[in-house]
Amino acid sequence: MTDFASLITQTVRDAAWLPHRYDPGHDAVHFQHVPRDVHRKAVFATDEHLPADAEKRVLRREDVIGAVPDEAPMHFIFHSAFCCSTLLARVFDRPGWAMGLKEPVILNDLVGWRRRGGDPRTVAMVLDHSLRLLGRPFDPGEAIVIKPSNIVNSLATAMLAMRPSARALLLHAPLPTYLTSVAKKGMQGRLWVRDGLVGMLQDGSISFGFDQKDYLGQTDLQVAAIGWLAQHAIFAGLIARFGPDRVRSLDSETLLARREDAVRALTAHYGMPLTEADLSELAHGPVFHRHSKLGTDFASTDRNQEYRDAASAHGDEIDKVVRWAMAVAESAGVPMVLDSPLVA
């Protein structure tokens, strides 16, 4: 018994033991040993990007939650995909200051559980406990910045309500940029948005007056636009509920064009400002000059050329879908431009 208690204490007192998955059938947390340098190299904290041979431990939630140390200050980057969110999360990998967690899968597990009919009160309790586990600092004095997967946006209201001191950034790409990103990914991107639509319908996040059969008659980019509008509706609701003191919005084009202003404003919003020297280092250093997914050198000119090529191939369809989406947004009362901008 003593050895088991020691194992629990060792696990929960070390943030390198990532609470990776949640198994509702056994009420168990699957921990995986993910040191900071592994987080840094991984695109996301997912099985695809974490070492397959990492040490793992499976512990009952009720056994570990009582041993969790005090949380670090916690903040969020909620996003609607293809908007440089991974890049921005990397800004917060600075030992002694903050740690950015990129798409921890345990939060996705809770979304899936809820979609399968999990009791909302129990899901909420496990969500709170999952945040407590994710909120363990790697080094004393650090804050934790969590960038969930965009499917977790359906839990964003609950997450902010559970952490009254947490602040959030709502990051998104302008709709034409988002649609271009989907188009340039080919079949993979088009299947991804349709899969996302199915999930959002299960979440009850889509209410634009269409019957489910109507979506079968829409093009892939129309479906992508519906998903973007649904995320914008969630974001607008967060701003209305929590206000600008806790929730700010930013689009990816502004982030890239005014990256020093954006990082300065965001770190101030989180209550963890950087020195001017650190700001300059981040804005002009490798974080903004490497491909966030591939890890290769990637200048803004490369990105712009990619988008020009995709826009050339798909521009007519994108323009028509944007006009259609603006009409849908107006009818549904969804703002195309969010309030509470991070950068004026």
Side-chain angles (χ1 to χ4, degrees), residues 301-313:
T301 52
D302 299 323
R303 179 179 183 274
N304 292 340
Q305 186 59 52
E306 278 193 3
Y307 277 82
R308 281 195 297 270
D309 292 344
S312 176

Side-chain angles (χ1 to χ4, degrees), residues 258-282:
R258 301 177 59 186
R259 54 184 183 263
E260 193 165 323
D261 291 338
V263 173
R264 178 186 291 109
L266 181 57
T267 55
H269 176 56
Y270 288 161
M272 40 191 283
L274 289 164
T275 66
E276 288 300 312
D278 286 337
L279 279 167
S280 180
E281 176 190 339
L282 281 173

